[in-house]
Structures are given as C-alpha cells and as structure tokens.
C-alpha cells in the first residue's frame, strides 16, 4: 500500500517525484505484486515507468501473468549482479 501511496503522491509522499524504475516483488503484504502491477499499468501517468518483477517464484503461471499485466521484465531471485546491470542498461 505504501508503494501505491508513493506513486499516487498520497500522505507523506505528496511532494515526491515519480520513480524512474520500479522493482516489484510478487510476495508483498496486504496486496500482492500482481495487484500493484495491475494498478500501475492501468494508470496513464504511471504505465510508462518500467516495472521489473524481482521475485523468488519460478512458476510459469506467475511469469506469464506478469507479462500479461505488462511487466517489462521478470527476474528470479537471487539475481546475478552483472546480469542485472546489463538489464538496467537496456532500459535506459
């Protein structure tokens, strides 16, 4: 919920700038990562922010659903640091 508050500039986040990139885990408390991703991608102002799913799940259904919800990338933890840096350069 704090992530959405930040993105929508609610409460203590009202003067914050939008992020250039979102790293999103699927297993987060209260609402899951899919719900956060769906909320981000349905908003015209937020959907342009690249979203990388960074999670422990290797379930093909989770991967497919992430891309169906327009995630920009899906990475399984733990992530090789060099691979992660290379990925970030492609998003610049």
């Amino acid at each position: 919920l704090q992530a959405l508050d930040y993105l929508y500039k609610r409460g203590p986040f009202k003067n914050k700038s939008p992020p250039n990139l979102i790293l999103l885990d699927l297993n987060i408390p209260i609402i899951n990562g899919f719900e956060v991703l769906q909320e981000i991608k349905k908003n015209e102002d937020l959907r342009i922010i690249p979203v990388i799913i960074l999670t422990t799940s290797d379930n093909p259904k989770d991967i497919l659903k992430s891309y169906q919800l327009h995630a920009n990338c899906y990475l399984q933890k733990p992530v090789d640091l060099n691979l992660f840096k290379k990925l970030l350069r492609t998003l610049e």
Side-chain angles (χ1 to χ4, degrees):
L1 292 178
Q2 282 183 324
L4 293 176
D5 285 345
Y6 184 94
L7 292 169
Y8 286 114
K9 299 181 179 191
R10 297 186 289 226
F13 307 108
K14 66 181 177 181
N15 296 318
K16 299 293 182 181
S17 300
N20 295 321
L21 173 71
I22 297 171
L23 298 175
L24 181 61
D25 196 337
L26 298 179
N27 302 307
I28 54 178
I30 303 174
I31 61 174
N32 67 46
F34 292 124
E35 293 168 302
V36 174
L37 178 60
Q38 188 172 23
E39 186 70 27
I40 291 167
K41 294 302 182 175
K42 78 176 185 181
N43 181 287
E44 191 172 318
D45 295 325
L46 300 176
R47 75 174 63 134
I48 62 169
I49 302 169
V51 178
I52 297 175
I53 302 299
L54 186 59
T55 189
T56 57
S57 175
D58 64 352
N59 186 326
K61 290 181 182 181
D62 289 343
I63 297 168
L64 178 61
K65 186 172 182 178
S66 294
Y67 284 119
Q68 287 173 333
L69 293 173
H70 306 287
N72 296 84
C73 185
Y74 190 100
L75 294 175
Q76 185 182 357
K77 295 178 193 176
V79 175
D80 176 86
L81 185 58
N82 290 324
L83 173 66
F84 187 67
K85 287 179 184 178
K86 185 176 179 180
L87 169 72
L88 290 177
R89 283 192 287 276
T90 66
L91 295 174
E92 291 178 348

